Amino acid sequence: MTTLSIFQQNQPQAAHTVTTDPQVIRDTLASQGVRFEQWPTRELPASATQEQILEAYADEVASLKQECGFQTADVVSLTADHPDKDAFRQKFLDEHTHSEDEVRFFVRGQGLFYLHFGDQVYALMCEKNDLISVPDGTRHWFDMGPEPEFTCIRLFTNPEGWVASFTGEEIASTLPRYEALAGVA
């Protein structure tokens, strides 16, 4: 279930706010400049290729490209049996920023975005149907969990794709990880 948990930076052990109400999530994130929407998904086989997924969502991708000036779109997909899953997880676990908006539409599965605003961290458990657009310059990180299962469409204004600038801050290591917030043992 899509869930927003808000933590105080100096009290990272427990969230002071937790909601699963999509409208409350949308409004709360919008107050920080983050776009959150829930879009219908299409039934696709688990073996669907990047081309098949992008074709199935061609209208939505074209609309976002036109609206926001994105140049490219691709698909990222990771499963629990991927041999490099630990390295991929580690790559995204440190706080970073981008010089462009980070846009993800979850076609399958789930993942956890952490957004750092001032002295608060918003942890958004995204799942199938969720679209998130994190504004450029926003400090954030992503946790796919130890057994990742997700497929996302990503959109970029930079044709090079995902380019991060790491902050060097340790905050990401102080908050509960995916396992704790997803209730995974």
Side-chain angles (χ1 to χ4, degrees), residues 64-77:
L64 283 171
K65 282 182 173 182
Q66 182 178 10
E67 177 187 347
C68 303
F70 296 115
Q71 300 297 309
T72 62
D74 71 7
V75 175
V76 61
S77 188

Side-chain angles (χ1 to χ4, degrees), residues 19 24 29 41 51 58 61-62 85 110 114 118 120 138 172 181 185:
T19 183
V24 172
L29 292 174
T41 53
E51 292 75 22
V61 168
K85 68 181 179 185
Q110 66 180 23
Y114 295 83
Q120 295 190 88
T138 300
L181 296 181

Side-chain angles (χ1 to χ4, degrees), residues 165-180:
S165 176
F166 292 92
T167 67
E169 298 293 326
E170 297 294 323
I171 187 166
S173 65
T174 68
L175 277 101
R177 295 248 191 245
Y178 177 97
E179 299 87 329

Side-chain angles (χ1 to χ4, degrees), residues 89-107:
R89 183 183 190 196
Q90 194 58 47
K91 176 180 180 180
F92 302 114
L93 276 177
D94 289 330
E95 185 181 70
H96 58 275
T97 63
H98 301 285
S99 61
E100 64 177 329
D101 293 358
E102 180 165 347
V103 179
R104 302 290 179 270
F105 174 59
F106 282 78
V107 173

